[in-house]
Amino acid sequence: MFKALSNESRLQILQWLKEPEKHFVPHEGVDMREIGVCVSQVTDKLNMTQSTASQYLSILQRAGLIRTERIGKYTYYKRNEEKISELADFLNQKL
């Protein structure tokens, strides 16, 4: 989990996903709070290739910090607030 958080762009993605309506335009009418943000939206915002953005999202997903939902041909990403809260609790207890 800490390795996933060690990259500034991945931290930025988590910050954007905290309040997606402030940082992204809805994709095909999808409720970004409920469903999430499409990889193409993250790619555009990061100004990176889709493969790099996908890799960053994959790392965050494997760490449990984001969740995915597949709708048709699109995959949407949103924060896993429960896991992020557990991490914050852990840090508060240990540090």
Side-chain angles (χ1 to χ4, degrees):
M1 202 177 291
F2 291 111
K3 183 178 180 180
L5 296 171
S6 69
N7 177 282
E8 191 173 326
S9 294
R10 291 190 294 262
L11 284 172
Q12 184 67 67
I13 291 168
L14 286 174
Q15 289 174 333
W16 290 333
L17 293 179
K18 186 173 185 178
E19 298 178 297
E21 66 282 352
K22 288 185 176 181
H23 303 284
F24 301 99
V25 175
H27 181 257
E28 298 195 1
V30 169
D31 181 347
M32 292 183 293
R33 280 269 183 198
E34 184 68 28
I35 303 298
V37 174
C38 183
V39 66
S40 63
Q41 295 169 282
V42 176
T43 299
D44 292 344
K45 189 88 168 158
L46 286 172
N47 197 26
M48 294 181 176
T49 64
Q50 184 166 343
S51 63
T52 301
S54 292
Q55 182 181 21
Y56 285 170
L57 290 164
S58 178
I59 291 168
L60 291 169
Q61 180 185 9
R62 284 193 309 268
L65 297 168
I66 62 174
R67 295 181 177 170
T68 62
E69 183 168 343
R70 182 97 176 156
I71 300 176
K73 63 181 180 177
Y74 299 105
T75 302
Y76 295 89
Y77 300 85
K78 71 178 191 175
R79 287 167 46 116
N80 182 347
E81 296 297 343
E82 184 178 314
K83 188 61 89 173
I84 291 170
S85 180
E86 287 174 14
L87 175 62
D89 290 345
F90 172 81
L91 290 173
N92 280 330
Q93 291 173 3
K94 300 295 181 186
L95 297 181

